[in-house]
Amino acid sequence: GESVGLHLPTLSVQEGDNSIINCAYSNSASDYFIWYKQESGKGPQFIIDIRSNMDKRQGQRVTVLLNKTVKHLSLQIAATQPGDSAVYFCAETYTGRRALTFGSGTRLQVQP
Amino acid sequence: EPEVTQTPSHQVTQMGQEVILRCVPISNHLYFYWYRQILGQKVEFLVSFYNNEISEKSEIFDDQFSVERPDGSNFTLKIRSTKLEDSAMYFCASSADRERNTIYFGEGSWLTVV
């Protein structure tokens, strides 16, 4: 069956460093991927998305990389700030399907 | 910035009771969703709704669950007879259309079944 999973449950970084959060997916039909940030007690907040016709997409301080060959997705956060501390989820879906399949999440802890 | 709003933020209910969770999706969105998140676990899809009917549902969304769009703005999730394992955060979400299918989530309704 399809699944989306994360390699590291917790990532601790120093303020100002770059963070890389990884995600693996198993459904080769997946063609749309999203990263969400979830702060404690709040709903998932959209960060950035990428379609399968792209390898890389940049936003403000964030970059998503997609490697379809190995079914791997990563989120890079530049100059990590204390406000970036949260749980980050990758999610995926495919054309014709509306539902997102979420990964299990990585907790990012930013040390001052 | 437009947002998905949900009420109540927290509800405690007795096992066997009916619960209705309410949502106001983003106004120009056409697709509506319910997801849930059991404490400490990942977010799970329940149901999607488009053009006044369910377009997709998961195995979790069994006969005790139902959704409704009673008017032009509200989208509700009803749990007919709650069980202890229904305790979770329930998120409503919406998206605009097929091309701009970024899904935006509300802040959630925390349901505790006792």
Side-chain angles (χ1 to χ4, degrees):
Chain A
E2 59 187 46
S3 66
V4 179
L6 294 169
H7 297 309
L8 298 175
T10 303
L11 177 65
S12 185
V13 300
Q14 291 294 123
E15 182 178 357
D17 287 352
N18 296 333
S19 302
I20 299 176
I21 300 171
N22 296 302
C23 177
Y25 65 96
S26 61
N27 187 355
S28 56
S30 296
D31 57 9
Y32 181 59
F33 306 88
I34 310 175
W35 281 101
Y36 285 95
K37 172 186 180 183
Q38 187 178 30
E39 295 174 286
S40 181
K42 295 189 175 183
Q45 178 187 355
F46 172 85
I47 301 174
I48 192 167
D49 59 359
I50 188 168
R51 298 189 184 278
S52 59
N53 60 351
M54 302 174 69
D55 297 323
K56 178 180 179 179
R57 190 159 188 233
Q58 288 183 292
Q60 188 176 16
R61 280 200 308 118
V62 294
T63 301
V64 55
L65 299 177
L66 175 62
N67 185 331
K68 295 180 287 294
T69 303
V70 295
K71 299 190 187 68
H72 185 267
L73 190 69
S74 68
L75 176 70
Q76 301 178 2
I77 304 174
T80 313
Q81 302 167 359
D84 295 327
S85 294
V87 176
Y88 289 80
F89 293 95
C90 62
E92 55 88 14
T93 189
Y94 50 85
T95 301
R97 185 170 193 242
R98 307 302 305 181
L100 294 174
T101 299
F102 279 79
S104 53
T106 292
R107 179 173 301 280
L108 177 65
Q109 296 177 335
V110 182
Q111 308 296 330
Chain B
E1 182 177 317
E3 59 182 18
V4 177
T5 58
Q6 292 185 240
T7 55
S9 56
H10 189 194
Q11 182 162 350
V12 181
T13 189
Q14 288 200 325
M15 190 169 53
Q17 294 297 303
E18 176 182 284
V19 162
I20 297 176
L21 305 178
R22 292 181 168 79
C23 169
V24 179
I26 295 172
S27 63
N28 63 341
H29 283 188
L30 302 176
Y31 295 85
F32 315 116
Y33 313 86
W34 284 100
Y35 286 77
R36 79 172 186 189
Q37 185 177 30
I38 296 171
L39 185 63
Q41 298 186 22
K42 63 183 180 182
V43 178
E44 300 174 290
F45 168 75
L46 292 179
V47 65
S48 62
F49 192 86
Y50 171 72
N51 199 25
N52 285 320
E53 61 182 20
I54 291 174
S55 52
E56 186 179 353
K57 60 182 181 179
S58 71
E59 292 178 353
I60 303 169
F61 195 87
D62 60 22
D63 291 344
Q64 70 161 342
F65 291 93
S66 63
V67 290
E68 190 178 30
R69 187 157 165 81
D71 52 43
S73 60
N74 291 285
F75 179 51
T76 62
L77 174 69
K78 181 191 291 186
I79 308 175
R80 262 182 276 280
S81 178
T82 50
K83 303 189 287 284
L84 294 177
E85 53 266 37
D86 293 328
S87 294
M89 181 76 89
Y90 288 81
F91 294 109
C92 178
S94 68
S95 61
D97 57 29
R98 183 177 294 278
E99 295 304 318
R100 298 187 301 274
N101 54 354
T102 301
I103 297 175
Y104 295 92
F105 285 78
E107 294 290 272
S109 293
W110 182 248
L111 176 65
T112 302
V113 182
V114 297

